[in-house]
Amino acid sequence: MSRAYASTTSTATITTAAAAAASSTPTLEIDAILDAAPYVPVISSLSSVYSASALPAQERRWASLVESFKNLYPAEDLTFIARSPGRVNLIGEHIDYSLFDVLPMAITQDVLIAVHVGGTDGKLVLNNTDPHFVSRTFNVADLKDLEIDATVHEWSNYFLAGVKGLFSLLPSAEIPSMHCLIDGRIPTGAGLSSSSAFVCASLLAIATAVKAASPYSTTFANAVTKSDLVQSAIVSERHVGVNSGGMDQSASVFGVPGHALRVQFYPQLKASPVAFQSDDFAFVIANTLVVADKHVTGPIHYNLRVVETTVAAEILAKQCGLGPLPIRDGFGGTLRGVVEAFKARGVDMTGVMDKVKQVFSKQEGYTLAETAELLGQTELEITQKYMTRFPVRFERFQFRARALHVLDEARRVERFCELLTHAPADQCGEDAEEKYLQDLASIMTASHKSCRALFDCSCEELDELVGLAVANGAYGSRLTGAGWGGATVSLVRKDKADEFVQCLKEEYYSKRYPGISQDKMNDAICITEPGLGSAVVVGSYSG
């Protein structure tokens, strides 16, 4: 959400008893983090957060943040820094809110919130390293009853969404005075979950501040569990107008270095690390530079898709005699619920897709009146139930296309995970490796085609980048994130990744955006590595 411009090499240390509790050695911290479930880890060195290749730049960035904090709040000590990363989704687009598994991974780019706890002014002060985001101040005594206007695109609303999340976890919590400086390096509207990372980091910062201010606490450890942070952040983001499914928050919080995450939402939330069985490939993220702001275009894009898939599930249950479906978050049934109901009747996924084609025979879509007839409800009832909390605009619901995408994408996730976890280790030679990469890539290619043709969430620039990626050596490429702009993710050979990046700079960025600076191109495209999820950092804020 923000960007720091100053550069310095100074560091600062915390002055609370938590420093001693977080002083484990860097070499042991990764193992401790992996074993620390269910709580968000508290760590003391950046080498436990970032890869060796990313560490030098991150050390400079953190030093700059610390120095900026000291300049902004010269009389106050820095208590801790909360951080949550963005994510790239490798496969499984727009199926999390239907409760199907997805396969994202946390990335290096993240949101940092530097916090001083313990002031006596009774204020929540929010500053941002990006001067475009002006300072905001709130009375902590008013926070519990503060309303967020989701129609106003205001940067501090994302932090206030975290406040809402804290009170949903701890209704009687007393938020202490907090003076904050926020620095974000996730491009907004790029499909890398900048808003979810901001909400997760905010909620984590507030929960940690509450614990730090407690007279009974001598450590920041165990301030909040990962599951509570995810579940609360999912609901919290709805205060800024997005009906999120949970993939973004799960990847941001549960991220494990060197692993993708298989995030399951049924029968309960679970994130399982998936190790890559081959070191020969890499993923490259390329931002189209077309801003895809689902908070602004939600009524015709993201939120409409949530409504379409939800109502499609309810119609299938009604028309096929499946009975009432389990309700997701008080909103409606899910296509996962439909699949499970059919499975209990001996019908497999192919059979369910056949049912979708039978029930939704009108490929041109369904008006609200036709939808009401299928559900046996009035138009007013449907509007009040599905289109009030998150308003949508449409002419016809595209139930058939949306449901077919979701069901087939769920199968693609299964196949992709199988390939990642069962690489052809018993085979050798370039031919076996080549086939393995081609198999992975074919799934990515099919996913993008489905997103474009069935879910209608691609755009001209995304399609162009995908085409250029494949033409310049990528095995496969697809849009990642909500779509309608944002970024692509491409599978390439690691030894060809730098050359691939240069080709896209020349053939996409330089041609589509004449005069673009080298720095902006470098920010737009990167070779990504799976990184650590949410954490609280205390100590020297260096490697």
Side-chain angles (χ1 to χ4, degrees):
M1 298 293 294
S2 59
R3 196 166 291 280
Y5 299 103
S7 178
T8 179
T9 57
S10 65
T11 59
T13 57
I14 64 167
T15 57
T16 70
S23 60
S24 58
T25 62
T27 55
L28 296 178
E29 280 194 76
I30 288 295
D31 289 338
I33 290 165
L34 296 178
D35 293 338
Y39 290 96
V40 174
V42 178
I43 57 182
S44 62
S45 73
L46 300 189
S47 59
S48 297
V49 180
Y50 302 107
S51 67
S53 60
L55 185 59
Q58 291 297 330
E59 286 183 317
R60 292 190 294 272
R61 174 197 173 201
W62 281 61
S64 176
L65 176 63
V66 170
E67 185 70 15
S68 297
F69 187 93
K70 290 168 63 177
N71 292 336
L72 186 63
Y73 306 113
E76 299 172 359
D77 296 314
L78 176 53
T79 310
F80 64 85
I81 297 177
R83 59 89 60 180
S84 282
R87 65 97 188 98
V88 60
N89 191 26
L90 301 181
I91 197 77
E93 220 59 74
H94 284 285
I95 65 174
D96 55 335
Y97 47 82
S98 290
L99 300 186
F100 288 106
D101 299 3
V102 293
L103 192 74
M105 66 184 191
I107 58 177
T108 299
Q109 292 92 333
D110 55 15
V111 173
L112 307 180
I113 303 181
V115 182
H116 167 74
V117 180
T120 59
D121 61 358
K123 303 291 186 182
L124 167 64
V125 182
L126 303 178
N127 281 286
N128 201 300
T129 56
D130 188 331
H132 291 96
F133 300 117
V134 298
S135 178
R136 301 296 188 198
T137 300
F138 305 89
N139 294 319
V140 294
D142 299 333
L143 291 176
K144 192 166 189 177
D145 298 321
L146 192 66
E147 294 297 323
I148 299 173
D149 186 352
T151 65
V152 177
H153 202 48
E154 158 61 37
W155 79 273
S156 62
N157 282 351
Y158 298 93
F159 194 98
L160 296 179
V163 171
K164 293 289 188 183
L166 186 280
F167 285 121
S168 72
L169 284 175
L170 302 170
S172 60
E174 294 185 6
I175 296 178
S177 297
M178 295 176 63
H179 295 176
C180 307
L181 179 60
I182 295 147
D183 179 76
R185 297 301 176 94
I186 309 167
T188 56
L192 303 177
S193 300
S194 59
S195 59
S196 295
F198 192 1
V199 172
C200 288
S202 301
L203 178 51
L204 176 59
I206 300 162
T208 305
V210 168
K211 182 154 191 181
S214 170
Y216 308 105
S217 177
T218 59
T219 175
F220 295 151
N222 301 350
V224 62
T225 67
K226 296 174 185 177
S227 291
D228 281 345
L229 179 56
V230 168
Q231 297 282 18
S232 183
I234 292 170
V235 177
S236 296
E237 197 166 344
R238 293 172 190 161
H239 289 285
V240 289
V242 175
N243 192 2
S244 172
M247 172 185 67
D248 301 344
Q249 297 85 354
S250 298
S252 184
V253 173
F254 286 109
V256 176
H259 294 68
L261 284 176
R262 181 168 186 168
V263 182
Q264 299 168 268
F265 303 95
Y266 179 89
Q268 60 187 13
L269 179 66
K270 178 182 178 182
S272 304
V274 179
F276 296 117
Q277 300 298 312
S278 173
D279 295 326
D280 293 332
F281 63 86
F283 292 101
V284 175
I285 300 173
N287 184 358
T288 61
L289 301 181
V290 176
V291 176
D293 194 334
K294 59 188 178 184
H295 301 273
V296 175
T297 63
I300 61 171
H301 288 157
Y302 186 89
N303 291 344
L304 177 57
R305 297 301 184 274
V306 176
V307 171
E308 285 177 315
T309 53
T310 300
V311 176
E314 297 282 6
I315 292 173
L316 286 166
K318 172 80 173 178
Q319 295 294 316
C320 298
L322 300 179
L325 297 174
I327 302 299
R328 181 182 78 90
D329 298 333
F331 188 63
T334 66
L335 288 169
R336 180 62 180 263
V338 170
V339 168
E340 295 299 322
F342 271 121
K343 185 188 296 183
R345 291 162 172 77
V347 180
D348 64 10
M349 185 69 90
T350 300
V352 177
M353 295 177 73
D354 289 339
K355 293 289 186 182
V356 168
K357 295 172 185 176
Q358 292 169 13
V359 171
F360 301 120
S361 58
K362 297 181 62 174
Q363 297 193 38
E364 68 273 21
Y366 293 80
T367 64
L368 181 58
E370 291 168 334
T371 300
E373 184 177 352
L374 287 171
L375 276 175
Q377 300 176 16
T378 67
E379 294 181 34
L380 179 61
E381 287 173 329
I382 294 172
T383 300
Q384 290 177 334
K385 182 175 181 180
Y386 301 109
M387 293 177 275
T388 301
R389 191 186 349 170
F390 302 100
V392 299
R393 300 194 304 273
F394 68 99
E395 293 183 1
R396 289 178 178 270
F397 287 124
Q398 302 297 327
F399 298 127
R400 177 190 176 102
R402 309 312 185 224
L404 289 176
H405 164 79
V406 169
L407 298 176
D408 216 11
E409 186 80 347
R411 294 202 295 193
R412 285 188 282 269
V413 172
E414 292 286 340
R415 179 59 181 150
F416 204 87
C417 288
E418 288 173 6
L419 286 170
L420 282 182
T421 55
H422 299 94
D426 57 335
Q427 303 178 33
C428 60
E430 292 185 5
D431 289 345
E433 182 73 13
E434 186 76 7
K435 183 180 184 305
Y436 174 65
L437 293 174
Q438 289 176 351
D439 286 345
L440 286 172
S442 66
I443 299 173
M444 297 176 68
T445 300
S447 174
H448 183 76
K449 289 180 178 178
S450 182
C451 285
R452 183 183 64 228
L454 295 179
F455 223 73
D456 191 23
C457 61
S458 189
C459 66
E460 175 188 335
E461 292 83 357
L462 283 167
D463 292 340
E464 180 182 351
L465 257 182
V466 166
L468 287 172
V470 174
N472 283 282
Y475 284 91
S477 185
R478 59 180 293 275
L479 68 84
T480 184
W484 300 289
T488 62
V489 58
S490 301
L491 175 68
V492 301
R493 278 198 174 275
K494 190 172 289 186
D495 59 358
K496 300 290 186 181
D498 290 332
E499 178 183 344
F500 173 79
V501 167
Q502 186 59 37
C503 287
L504 290 194
K505 285 181 177 180
E506 294 172 359
E507 297 191 27
Y508 179 79
Y509 296 101
S510 294
K511 291 182 179 179
R512 186 169 275 274
Y513 302 102
I516 186 174
S517 69
Q518 192 65 39
D519 285 344
K520 191 164 186 178
M521 275 199 288
N522 290 339
D523 287 342
I525 185 168
C526 64
I527 304 166
T528 190
E529 300 174 83
L532 178 70
S534 298
V536 175
V537 182
V538 297
S540 64
Y541 308 110
S542 65

